[in-house]
């Protein structure tokens, strides 16, 4: 399995990743969980660079879920500090690689310093066109769907839209993910076989790929394996194989 076997004309435009296993990785080494998160940054760099080099247009990383706020305060604080530090430290690399940064999730719950660092990096990289790196921060798919529902209900109540106008497209346009195509490939590391409230609406027809590799050990070769596996699948979207042929 190598990079050369990847068919560049059949790349997924958008890959989404549930980065899992940082805590277990650290525990295996007799260290605190935060050590796993710190070492997860290297994997973030690897996949971002790997995707940009291949020509993947969007990469969404599940960096912090709505549910992650329930972790011990010390771990939440450490994760937020790491996020701020990483975003600040990596902005120059994003610029060098032509990567635009964006974020999805509940901005109102993010600490001020995290939000301002995030906005600064988003602003600095806004004209980059090679790839978009989307961080899901304080994000959950159900949160996004509930919010979109409220927005649509409000518009209907104000007479701005008719009930008949509520369709898939309107819902797509109202979610925080509206700027990007839906991911064709979703990857989860660490051997867990769950979606954990990530992009539920958007993965209706995504190919799912699970690996037992723990996130801090994830490297470009693992990304290539996932893409090759994706390219070996037949995507039928409800049709039969014969119809596709
Ligand atoms: C899941 O592992 C990982 C997270 C909740 C955090 C991921 C964040 C990083 C890798 C920092 C990256 C920074 C940027 C800018 C994207 P876990 O703690 O659930 O692991 P476990 O399942 O083994 O306990």
């Amino acid at each position: 399995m190598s990079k050369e076997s990847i068919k560049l004309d059949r790349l997924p435009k958008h890959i989404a990743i549930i980065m899992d296993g940082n805590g277990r990785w650290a525990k295996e080494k007799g260290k605190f969980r935060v050590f796993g998160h710190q070492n997860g940054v290297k994997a973030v760099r690897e996949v971002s660079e790997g995707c940009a080099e291949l020509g993947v247009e969007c990469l969404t990383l599940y960096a912090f879920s709505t549910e992650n706020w329930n972790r011990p305060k010390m771990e939440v604080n450490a994760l937020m500090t790491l996020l701020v530090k990483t975003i600040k430290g990596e902005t120059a690399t994003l610029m060098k690689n032509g990567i635009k940064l964006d974020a999805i999730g509940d901005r109102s719950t993010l600490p001020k310093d995290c939000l301002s660092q995030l906005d600064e990096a988003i602003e600095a990289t806004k004209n980059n066109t090679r790839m978009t790196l989307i961080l899901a921060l304080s994000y959950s798919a159900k949160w996004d769907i509930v919010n979109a529902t409220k927005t649509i209900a409000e518009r209907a109540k104000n007479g701005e839209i008719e009930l008949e106008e509520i369709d898939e497209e309107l819902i797509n346009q109202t979610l925080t993910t509206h700027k990007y195509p839906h991911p064709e490939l979703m990857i989860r590391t660490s051997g867990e076989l769950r979606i954990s409230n990530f992009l539920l609406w958007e993965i209706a027809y995504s190919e799912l790929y699970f690996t037992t590799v723990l996130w801090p050990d994830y490297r470009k070769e693992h990304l290539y394996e996932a893409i090759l596996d994706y390219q070996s699948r037949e995507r039928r979207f409800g049709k039969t194989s014969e119809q596709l042929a």
Side-chain angles (χ1 to χ4, degrees), residues 5-20:
S5 314
I6 294 175
K7 295 179 194 72
L8 296 179
D9 58 342
R10 286 190 47 220
L11 273 182
K13 284 193 169 64
H14 186 173
I15 299 179
I17 307 185
I18 303 176
M19 312 180 285
D20 197 15

Side-chain angles (χ1 to χ4, degrees), residues 20-40 75 214-217:
D20 197 15
N22 294 350
R24 277 163 283 165
W25 186 90
K27 204 170 166 194
E28 273 177 7
K29 295 177 165 45
K31 306 271 191 184
F32 290 114
R33 297 175 55 79
V34 174
F35 185 68
H37 298 316
Q38 287 162 346
N39 281 275
E75 184 173 343
L214 302 177
W215 181 250
D217 290 329

Side-chain angles (χ1 to χ4, degrees), residues 124-142:
T125 61
K126 71 176 182 198
N127 294 323
N128 292 343
T129 53
R130 190 170 171 214
M131 186 183 89
T132 305
L133 172 63
I134 304 144
L135 297 182
L137 285 173
S138 194
Y139 169 89
S140 80
K142 287 187 178 179

